[in-house]
Amino acid sequence: MQSQGNIRVVEMLRYLYQHTDENHPATVTDITAYLKERGIQAVRQTVYADLNALITAGFDIVIVKSTQNQYFIGSRLFEYPELKMLADAVASSKIISAKKSEALVQKLGCLTSIHQAEQLKGLASLSSRVKPGNEKVYYIIDSIHSAILEHRQIEFQYYEYTQTKEKILKHDGYRYLLDPYALEWKNDHYYLIGYSHKHSRVAHFRVDRLAGVEVLTTEFAQLENFDVAAYTNTMIDMFASEGTLDVELLCDNELMRVIIDHYGENVPVRTYDKDRFIATIKVNPSGTFYGWVFKFMGKIKILSPQECVNQMRNAARVFI
């Protein structure tokens, strides 16, 4: 009898978590009917007693007072607005495949009622999202995280696309050796940052374009004073050329927020005149960087060094 009572309480709690929320409360009649479907006998007095016991034990079961009281689960591990935000982040992620995104959104739905879970799936519709084709990326990320924590080197291949959308491995399948420092999320993509033994410098690679990732037994020591945030701040859209330069930008005052968004609050700035300021940034100049400057239509200009000014002029001819 004691076992039957324990099962009854567990099933009652399961029902409340899965089927109720503030817009879908349940009556004692609803709960009794559910228990009966499960082959568990219960009378109204027993259900009332069990509900009071759960409330006394600390479960947040809200009572809506009426001629026939209604009950629903109040606070949960995640509130519904938080779940909506997480589901949308998963659905819009360019690093998570459509199949894996659907599975993750479904798991998030298990943290709320079935009614709100259906809404989550609708809000996280994947039909118009750009998603990667690399189904293994989820497990690649897990392997890389382990390598970073254990300070172990990794090897991998890297692929790109031909003009016919065919995937090909770079350098005839060359296996890169890397000391992995960090995984960084930037511009809707995961990037692996570390010391590349091929390039003899710190480099970064798109995680969704990795193949044949292998965590080695050999360990490494990270470069002293290496700052991941400072490194990524020098990269516009994470496209890199060969060197980092100190670049002075002449900016309209209204673009201070843009400079801070890209380079942080510690970026050196000084007043140029009442309408403009100069920001000094460390940047890895590339076509993407010049394109970024160009899109502000003269509200950001490169003052120095001269080589960047010249490259900007050449790039402007292309953009125009």
Side-chain angles (χ1 to χ4, degrees):
M1 193 69 179
Q2 182 66 32
S3 176
Q4 178 80 0
N6 292 340
I7 294 173
R8 184 184 62 246
V9 173
V10 170
E11 286 294 344
M12 184 185 302
L13 192 57
R14 189 202 306 275
Y15 174 80
L16 291 169
Y17 265 98
Q18 292 182 345
H19 294 267
T20 71
D21 54 53
E22 60 183 1
N23 296 318
H24 301 88
T27 64
V28 169
T29 301
D30 296 326
I31 298 171
T32 304
Y34 170 81
L35 293 173
K36 185 177 180 180
E37 290 176 2
R38 298 283 176 171
I40 302 171
Q41 297 302 316
V43 296
R44 298 179 65 86
Q45 291 78 5
T46 304
V47 173
Y48 281 124
D50 289 342
L51 285 168
N52 288 331
L54 288 171
I55 294 171
T56 302
F59 291 96
D60 186 18
I61 299 173
V62 179
I63 306 174
V64 181
K65 299 286 187 179
S66 64
T67 53
Q68 186 174 189
N69 287 352
Q70 296 177 309
Y71 303 84
F72 67 90
I73 292 294
S75 61
R76 299 174 184 262
L77 181 62
F78 289 95
E79 299 300 327
Y80 185 52
E82 296 171 329
L83 290 174
K84 286 195 293 186
M85 183 171 58
L86 291 172
D88 191 57
V90 168
S92 61
S93 170
K94 293 181 180 179
I95 196 66
I96 308 174
S97 70
K99 182 179 178 181
K100 180 58 69 174
S101 293
E102 290 172 357
L104 289 175
V105 170
Q106 188 171 353
K107 289 180 179 180
L108 288 172
C110 293
L111 299 174
T112 187
S113 70
I114 58 174
H115 314 287
Q116 292 182 341
E118 282 300 315
Q119 293 176 351
L120 284 181
K121 286 192 284 187
L123 290 169
S125 172
L126 306 176
S127 58
S128 61
R129 312 279 187 166
V130 176
K131 307 297 285 183
N134 190 349
E135 289 286 347
K136 296 181 179 179
V137 69
Y138 191 73
Y139 305 101
I140 289 173
I141 291 171
D142 184 54
S143 296
I144 293 173
H145 272 305
S146 296
I148 292 170
L149 292 173
E150 297 171 5
H151 298 284
R152 297 188 182 278
Q153 294 180 315
I154 63 173
E155 278 190 348
F156 58 88
Q157 296 167 303
Y158 201 63
Y159 69 81
E160 57 187 355
Y161 292 93
T162 68
Q163 66 272 25
T164 59
K165 298 183 181 179
E166 179 189 1
K167 289 182 182 179
I168 59 170
L169 293 173
K170 293 190 70 172
H171 306 300
D172 298 319
Y174 177 87
R175 294 192 64 80
Y176 293 81
L177 176 64
L178 192 87
D179 301 345
Y181 293 167
L183 283 169
E184 186 77 1
W185 183 269
K186 191 176 178 72
N187 302 313
D188 290 331
H189 290 289
Y190 248 140
Y191 289 88
L192 169 60
I193 300 172
Y195 183 84
S196 169
H197 289 261
K198 173 179 172 58
H199 302 97
S200 299
R201 60 178 172 84
V202 175
H204 56 271
F205 302 85
R206 277 263 299 268
V207 171
D208 56 312
R209 293 184 181 169
L210 303 183
V213 176
E214 181 183 357
V215 179
L216 307 179
T217 58
T218 51
E219 298 183 358
F220 69 90
Q222 185 167 317
L223 293 175
E224 292 185 10
N225 301 320
F226 177 74
D227 188 332
V228 173
Y231 175 84
T232 56
N233 282 343
T234 66
M235 306 295 175
I236 298 293
D237 293 333
M238 296 300 284
F239 285 98
S241 60
E242 288 301 315
T244 299
L245 298 174
D246 287 327
V247 177
E248 286 191 324
L249 299 177
L250 178 62
C251 312
D252 286 8
N253 287 342
E254 65 189 77
L255 295 180
M256 179 62 79
R257 60 179 177 78
V258 173
I259 296 298
I260 290 176
D261 284 347
H262 277 80
Y263 300 102
E265 294 186 354
N266 294 326
V267 61
V269 297
R270 66 182 189 275
T271 300
Y272 182 79
D273 57 32
K274 66 183 182 64
D275 298 314
R276 295 172 292 180
F277 66 92
I278 294 174
T280 303
I281 62 172
K282 288 188 178 295
V283 68
N284 207 319
S286 64
T288 307
F289 167 67
Y290 297 119
W292 176 79
V293 173
F294 182 77
K295 76 177 183 180
F296 293 102
M297 303 297 290
K299 293 185 177 182
I300 294 181
K301 298 177 181 178
I302 299 175
L303 290 183
S304 69
Q306 190 60 43
E307 62 182 285
C308 286
V309 175
N310 295 337
Q311 289 176 6
M312 181 64 201
R313 287 171 181 165
N314 293 333
R317 296 190 186 99
V318 176
F319 298 130
I320 293 174

